[in-house]
């Protein structure tokens, strides 16, 4: 019993060290010792074990350090990767994300929306990478960020309406097709996790994240540093909330939800585009001068501000992070949107609020999916 307990503590400590360098970046053994509270010899042993396992590497000490004995720098191995998948209505995106949260390689492919077509495309891409760009890498898992409702207990996609998926066990299909253990989650909830760890919300413990994509608006919630999923994992469906629309002339749908009124397709139409990635849409929005297009942008911002004000009143976040086309609406006039939200919210919960664009850009959902896939490794690196 004693041996089991000692081994359990050691495995937990290995996970703590690996998680630290993964989430916070390369650091010296001395800094790891200070930040974990472990003693120096224990940290030395743990790092040596992680090096042997190929999970971290040690680099030469900082040559500018002049005081005391130099300490080697411990960095996560960039040859340890997860496969991240984001199926959307306009394209399938697949990436390989390293320990440390860097997207090492990505591919965007136009494929059909069925589960069969998505699984076949992912398997084909992974096979190509295994003999190509990832031939020297260790693939430790896979994650899927799906625009839909995912049941937390078993990972079944209950409903992804824009993909036409209902009660689909996508992870089992992907695992069988690739030989890689896959996990799955709601895309915006995973995006919130990525932004909290590596992006705009890194300094905030109470965060609302909304992601605007081709499929609509989803979201995630972090309170006191903890991701909130709800009883079954379905929390964060902000796009399905009923927006407050003060001006009847702003309404475009009868009894519509937020994502019916504030959506990417309407923005594309306003600037005369039928299809565009976020960078192309951002450029078009920045250059727009037509009065009708400017009014559509303003209309969507007014309705979005009302929805955000309700969230501020209910949850009192220190930051709201907007991703996808919602970030583009914000960046059109950041101070103006914050002012709109504060006008509509109670003064007290809104006084310290910040509204921030997602910092990870197009990587946010891939990094979020990778984080879910990495969790077993970070919890027990020797499992």
């Amino acid at each position: 019993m004693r041996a089991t307990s000692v081994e359990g503590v050691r495995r937990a400590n290995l996970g703590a060290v690996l998680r630290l360098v993964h989430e916070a970046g390369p650091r010296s053994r001395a800094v790891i010792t200070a930040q974990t509270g472990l003693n120096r010899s224990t940290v030395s042993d743990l790092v040596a074990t992680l090096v042997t396992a190929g999970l971290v590497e040690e680099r030469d000490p900082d040559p500018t350090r002049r005081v005391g004995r130099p300490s080697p720098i411990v960095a996560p191995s960039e040859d340890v990767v997860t496969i991240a998948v984001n199926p959307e209505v306009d394209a399938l995106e697949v990436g390989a994300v390293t320990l440390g949260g860097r997207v090492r390689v990505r591919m965007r492919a136009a494929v059909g929306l069925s589960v069969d077509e998505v699984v076949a495309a992912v398997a084909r891409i992974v096979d190509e990478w295994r003999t190509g760009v990832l031939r020297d890498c260790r693939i430790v898992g896979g994650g899927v960020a799906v625009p839909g409702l995912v049941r937390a207990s078993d990972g079944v996609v209950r409903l992804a309406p824009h993909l036409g998926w209902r009660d689909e066990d996508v992870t089992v299909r992907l695992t069988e097709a690739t030989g890689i253990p896959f996990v799955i989650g709601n895309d915006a909830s995973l995006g919130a996790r990525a932004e909290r760890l590596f992006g705009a919300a890194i300094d905030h413990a109470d965060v609302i994240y909304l992601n605007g994509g081709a499929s609509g608006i989803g979201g995630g919630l972090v309170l006191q540093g903890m991701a909130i999923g709800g009883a079954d994992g379905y929390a964060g469906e902000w796009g399905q909330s009923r927006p407050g629309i003060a001006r009847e002339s702003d309404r475009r749908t009868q009894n519509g939800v937020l994502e019916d009124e504030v959506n990417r397709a309407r923005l594309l139409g306003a600037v005369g585009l039928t299809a565009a990635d976020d960078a192309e849409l951002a450029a078009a929005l920045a250059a727009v001068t037509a009065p009708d297009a400017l009014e559509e942008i303003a209309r969507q911002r007014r309705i979005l501000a009302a929805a955000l004000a309700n969230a501020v009143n209910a949850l009192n976040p220190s930051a709201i992070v907007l991703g996808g086309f919602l970030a583009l609406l914000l960046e059109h006039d950041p101070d103006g949107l914050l002012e709109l939200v504060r006008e509509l919210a109670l003064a007290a919960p809104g006084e310290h609020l910040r509204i921030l664009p997602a910092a990870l850009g197009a990587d946010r959902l891939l990094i979020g999916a990778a984080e879910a896939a990495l969790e077993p490794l970070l919890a027990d690196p020797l499992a």
Side-chain angles (χ1 to χ4, degrees):
M1 193 70 181
R2 169 69 177 167
T4 301
S5 176
V6 169
E7 179 62 16
V9 169
R10 184 169 184 272
R11 284 176 177 260
N13 287 339
L14 284 166
V17 172
L18 182 60
R19 190 181 296 273
L20 178 62
V21 297
H22 164 63
E23 294 180 358
R27 55 211 46 237
S28 68
R29 286 192 195 178
V31 171
I32 293 171
T33 298
Q35 293 183 331
T36 61
L38 300 169
N39 64 50
R40 187 169 60 184
S41 61
T42 298
V43 168
S44 178
D45 171 68
L46 295 173
V47 169
T49 300
L50 292 172
V51 169
T52 300
L55 298 174
V56 303
E57 59 186 29
E58 287 197 282
R59 301 172 183 168
D60 291 337
D62 183 353
T64 64
R65 179 182 169 93
R66 301 297 184 187
V67 179
R69 183 179 177 182
S71 179
I73 301 299
V74 182
S77 171
E78 294 214 338
D79 290 334
V80 177
V81 301
T82 58
I83 301 299
V85 178
N86 176 219
E88 260 289 8
V89 294
D90 55 348
L92 169 71
E93 192 161 35
V94 184
V97 184
T98 69
L99 272 173
R102 183 178 73 86
V103 178
R104 179 166 175 154
V105 61
R106 71 189 324 134
M107 181 176 291
R108 186 173 174 87
V111 302
L113 298 182
S114 73
V115 175
D116 286 346
E117 290 167 309
V118 168
V119 169
V122 172
R124 182 180 68 254
I125 291 167
V126 170
D127 282 346
E128 291 174 359
W129 286 352
R130 276 174 162 152
T131 57
V133 292
L134 300 183
R135 60 186 175 276
D136 297 322
C137 293
R138 173 183 169 193
I139 301 174
V140 296
V144 186
V146 65
L149 298 173
V150 179
R151 188 164 58 205
S153 61
D154 57 8
V156 168
V157 179
R158 296 301 310 281
L159 179 65
H162 300 281
L163 299 177
W165 296 1
R166 184 184 293 274
D167 294 323
E168 294 280 4
D169 199 344
V170 182
T171 54
V172 169
R173 299 279 300 278
L174 283 169
T175 298
E176 291 174 347
T178 63
I180 299 167
F182 269 85
V183 296
I184 194 167
N186 171 264
D187 58 352
S189 294
L190 294 176
R193 182 174 182 173
E195 288 290 337
R196 172 73 177 89
L197 288 175
F198 301 110
I202 196 168
D203 295 322
H204 295 269
D206 297 277
V207 182
I208 292 171
Y209 172 78
L210 271 71
N211 184 69
S215 292
I217 297 174
L221 179 62
V222 177
L223 294 179
Q224 297 184 351
M226 296 181 60
I228 306 299
D232 299 303
Y234 307 140
E237 288 298 321
W238 302 101
Q240 293 299 308
S241 63
R242 303 283 170 178
I245 302 179
R247 304 181 187 183
E248 192 58 32
S249 60
D250 279 349
R251 190 180 299 278
R252 296 293 180 268
T253 61
Q254 290 301 316
N255 300 317
V257 295
L258 178 63
E259 64 186 34
D260 294 325
E261 298 286 352
V262 178
N263 66 52
R264 200 172 189 278
R266 293 186 189 279
L267 276 184
L268 286 170
V271 297
L273 297 173
T274 56
D277 61 22
D278 282 351
E280 292 167 335
L281 179 54
L285 291 174
V288 70
T289 57
D292 287 351
L294 290 171
E295 174 53 27
E296 175 60 19
I297 294 168
R299 184 194 74 86
Q300 292 205 23
R301 283 164 53 91
R302 287 192 292 269
I303 297 172
L304 176 62
L308 298 182
N310 288 334
V312 168
N313 289 341
L315 297 168
N316 186 207
S318 62
I320 295 174
V321 178
L322 301 179
F325 81 86
L326 297 179
L328 307 184
L329 285 174
L330 168 66
E331 290 171 344
H332 190 76
D333 179 5
D335 293 338
L337 185 63
L338 178 58
E339 184 179 343
L340 272 175
V341 172
R342 283 181 169 160
E343 286 176 1
L344 296 170
L346 291 169
E351 62 184 347
H352 297 129
L353 176 69
R354 297 186 66 193
I355 303 179
L356 307 168
L360 300 176
D363 292 342
R364 66 195 184 281
L365 301 184
L366 295 181
I367 292 174
E371 282 303 304
L374 278 174
E375 191 55 41
L377 178 71
L378 296 176
D380 186 355
L382 300 185

